[in-house]
Amino acid sequence: MNVKRFSTVAAVAMLAVVGCGRGAQPSQEVSPGATQGSPPAAALAAAVTEYPRPAKPSKQYRIGVAIPHLSNPHYVGQAYGYIDEARNLGAQVTLLEAGGYEHLDRQISQIEDLVASKVDAIILAAISGPGTVGAVESAVAAGIPVINVNVMTDSDKVVTRIRSDDDVIGRMQADFMGERLKGGGNVVMLRGAPGTSWAEIRGNAFRKQLAEKYPGVKVLGEQYSQSTPADGLRLMEDFLQTFPQISGVYNGADSTAVGAAQAVKSAGKAGSVVMTATDFQLDTEKFIREGVISASVLQQPVTMGRWGVRAAISYLEKKPVPPVMFTGLMTATKENLDGLDLTAVRAPAGWTPPVR
């Protein structure tokens, strides 16, 4: 990976880092229901997987970006995508982070502040699908287009949805799990943050794929949490006590997987439990190399950020914007780690979002 430090030369990139606390919240039992933030089937059929950079506009647009937090490298990579693409296109970015998935009220307030400051467009990674509907629709009513990236809002008033195909991520994990377990075993699930589109869609797809293709693999239990390593450690320790016969662990995100891996390793079960995840922070890579985490599906957060800025500018320039765009996926295992191109996955080494 060719790494160089980002420098804000051509564009004005502003970052307001708000509320860095990640308070704990009790985990919740899974409740059945429709997946959240899913676009209609017709839109999915028209989804694109390539989205080239538009021509640089003559005007410098002001774009507000609201994301759940910056404590996970996934969102740092996304932040790099927003800021570097804004530099390429001469835009000004104000990046706001809410401090964690538990701070929906803070994200709503941040969206309201962006509307009050009359930005030209808002890019949103939603803390909650249903919880962000009112704020999104208020922004649209004020004449500010909203681009939905990564984590979906339930509002249908967004210009486009840019994300990984979470259904495919869940099925990829299920296929890996089912094949490694040779079609039989006992699995537990750490879904991730409640109320988020990714936790619902990935987890539901994982369960459905197992039931249809690997009926001998049974799900013993599942939990939601605030998607932190501490939550993953706590929940996995509880699962290991409750279900000593665990042979597989599904993680909706690698933030819980890192903690779960610590619990599995401490219990002396490293290598005997098949563990899957999504995303690729440095600790995830370490546990894959050690054989504790078996595989992780890698999203492209840098690409998500780039496409979000491209979509905002294209819309403001009155150019057509596809309603749904899926960024690419790949699977990391111990066998292929050294051959992976991570330029669309991680921010350059040492890069941190600029703070004002």
Side-chain angles (χ1 to χ4, degrees):
M1 178 175 168
N2 191 14
V3 176
K4 57 183 178 180
R5 186 173 181 85
F6 169 72
S7 174
T8 54
V9 177
V12 180
M14 300 188 297
L15 174 69
V17 177
V18 182
C20 295
R22 299 295 311 279
Q25 177 172 317
S27 61
Q28 301 178 11
E29 295 290 345
V30 61
S31 57
T35 57
Q36 300 167 347
S38 300
L44 286 174
V48 301
T49 56
E50 296 291 338
Y51 192 46
R53 180 177 295 149
K56 187 174 181 178
S58 57
K59 174 183 176 180
Q60 183 186 68
Y61 289 108
R62 296 172 57 240
I63 301 171
V65 178
I67 61 176
H69 61 84
L70 281 166
S71 61
N72 188 322
H74 173 86
Y75 284 113
V76 176
Q78 206 174 113
Y80 175 76
Y82 294 127
I83 293 169
D84 190 57
E85 195 65 17
R87 179 186 62 82
N88 286 317
L89 290 169
Q92 175 182 318
V93 168
T94 300
L95 180 63
L96 305 172
E97 63 108 350
Y101 284 109
E102 63 269 39
H103 296 303
L104 173 62
D105 56 341
R106 193 171 294 157
Q107 185 170 75
I108 290 172
S109 176
Q110 289 170 347
I111 295 170
E112 291 170 347
D113 289 345
L114 290 172
V115 172
S117 68
K118 298 181 179 180
V119 293
D120 294 301
I122 292 173
I123 299 173
L124 171 68
I127 280 179
S128 164
T132 51
V133 171
V136 168
E137 297 186 357
S138 293
V140 174
I144 299 173
V146 177
I147 311 299
N148 193 191
V149 173
N150 189 189
V151 193
M152 299 294 99
T153 176
D154 283 5
S155 174
D156 61 0
K157 300 296 191 297
V158 297
V159 171
T160 183
R161 300 182 189 274
I162 300 168
R163 62 184 180 96
S164 302
D165 191 332
D166 289 306
D167 186 84
V168 172
I169 291 174
R171 287 189 278 121
M172 288 171 70
Q173 289 201 48
D175 284 338
F176 186 94
M177 183 76 70
E179 290 167 13
R180 279 292 179 97
L181 293 178
K182 302 187 186 316
N186 299 305
V187 174
V188 294
M189 297 176 60
L190 281 67
R191 280 195 176 237
T196 58
S197 58
W198 60 265
E200 293 297 333
I201 298 172
R202 291 175 200 169
N204 291 350
F206 177 83
R207 288 196 64 126
K208 182 179 179 183
Q209 188 82 339
L210 283 185
E212 291 178 353
K213 289 186 64 177
Y214 312 97
V217 179
K218 306 300 182 185
V219 176
L220 300 179
E222 54 187 319
Q223 287 282 343
Y224 289 100
S225 71
Q226 283 307 315
S227 196
T228 66
D231 283 326
L233 175 64
R234 173 178 55 82
L235 292 175
M236 195 65 226
E237 287 175 339
D238 291 345
F239 273 139
L240 287 168
Q241 289 183 356
T242 305
F243 305 114
Q245 69 275 37
I246 290 171
S247 49
V249 182
Y250 161 90
N251 292 273
D254 70 344
S255 45
T256 55
V258 167
Q262 291 171 344
V264 167
K265 185 176 180 179
S266 296
K269 294 180 179 292
S272 63
V273 174
V274 178
M275 183 177 298
T276 64
T278 303
D279 291 331
F280 200 54
Q281 58 183 278
L282 292 175
D283 283 338
T284 309
E285 179 178 352
K286 176 178 76 74
F287 280 123
I288 291 177
R289 291 189 184 278
E290 292 177 359
V292 185
I293 296 176
S294 310
S296 191
V297 179
L298 276 55
Q299 302 184 84
Q300 294 186 7
V302 176
T303 302
M304 291 179 193
R306 293 192 187 282
W307 287 13
V309 172
R310 292 175 191 180
I313 289 177
S314 293
Y315 184 84
L316 293 167
E317 290 286 291
K318 301 186 174 6
K319 303 289 177 57
V321 178
V324 181
M325 290 182 270
F326 288 141
T327 53
L329 298 168
M330 54 186 168
T331 301
T333 65
K334 188 175 183 179
E335 294 71 28
N336 72 354
L337 277 183
D338 293 328
L340 296 175
D341 179 3
L342 302 178
T343 54
V345 177
R346 292 176 176 166
W351 184 87
T352 57
V355 180
R356 72 169 168 94

